[in-house]
Amino acid sequence: MNPNAPSPADDREPAEHRRFAHCLQALETVSEADEAGLVAAVLDDRDALMAGSAVSRHLDRRAAALLGGPAFTAWARTLAGVVARSDFLTRRLREWVLLHSIVRGGPWTAGELTGASDWFQRTAVATPGLTDPAALALLARDGRTRRVRAAASRRLREAGRAR
C-alpha cells in the first residue's frame, strides 16, 4: 500500500487532507513487520507537516496500546531510528519511553519529569498505569501547569483513599 496515494474521497477536499486520511488509515492497519517501513514512507511525503502529524498520531496510538507491556521497548527502539530526522517525533517517542519506564517501575529522574513537555505531564497524570507516588508527588508539587499539579494531587488523594 502506498501511503502517499490519494484516497478515494470528495474531489472538493484538498489533496493533503485526502493523503493525511489515507496515511492514518494505512498506519492503523499496518502489521508489526511492516510498521517501520510504512512510517518511513509516510515521513518521505512531500508535505512534511502532514506526514509528521500522521506519524505523531500513530506514535501516540501505538505507544498507548503498548505502554504497560514488554513489547514496548523493542517497538520504541525500532521506531527511534525511523523518526530520528524529526526533533518533534524523537522527543515525543523519548517521552513515551520515559512514561513506559515510570509505569513499569523503571528508572527516571526528577529532572526528566519536570523538564518534560506539557503534553507529557498532562499525559502522565491521566495515565491510569502511572501509580508511582514519587512521580505523582513531584508532578503535584512541580508540574508546569496548574492543571497538571491539580490532577497529580487528585491522583495522590485517590491512591491514599484506596489503601
Side-chain angles (χ1 to χ4, degrees):
M1 169 180 264
N2 178 358
N4 299 321
S7 62
D10 187 337
D11 287 338
R12 292 172 293 186
E13 185 177 25
E16 64 273 12
H17 292 194
R18 290 193 308 269
R19 281 197 332 278
F20 181 73
H22 183 75
C23 287
L24 288 179
Q25 180 184 11
L27 288 165
E28 285 176 12
T29 59
V30 69
S31 69
E32 276 186 44
D34 296 333
E35 182 180 22
L38 181 59
V39 168
V42 170
L43 289 174
D44 282 340
D45 189 275
R46 66 184 176 274
D47 185 343
L49 186 59
M50 180 283 300
S53 182
V55 170
S56 175
R57 282 194 191 187
H58 175 70
L59 287 180
D60 289 349
R61 183 181 57 76
R62 287 282 288 152
L66 296 170
L67 187 61
F72 182 93
T73 302
W75 170 81
R77 195 173 298 125
T78 298
L79 270 284
V82 178
V83 301
R85 293 180 301 178
S86 166
D87 291 341
F88 174 78
L89 294 173
T90 297
R91 179 175 181 153
R92 178 60 60 94
L93 186 58
R94 187 174 53 244
E95 288 184 338
W96 275 113
V97 169
L98 174 59
L99 187 55
H100 173 73
S101 185
I102 298 167
V103 165
R104 300 276 293 185
W108 57 272
T109 66
E112 288 174 311
L113 254 59
T114 58
S117 69
D118 289 353
W119 170 87
F120 171 84
Q121 291 185 2
R122 285 191 312 273
T123 301
V125 297
T127 299
L130 192 150
T131 58
D132 184 321
L136 289 170
L138 179 64
L139 290 171
R141 186 183 63 245
D142 296 331
R144 188 170 294 117
T145 66
R146 185 176 0 174
R147 178 179 171 187
V148 165
R149 293 188 302 273
S153 294
R154 187 171 40 258
R155 295 275 311 277
L156 282 169
R157 284 192 306 274
E158 291 167 358
R161 284 192 295 255
R163 286 187 210 153

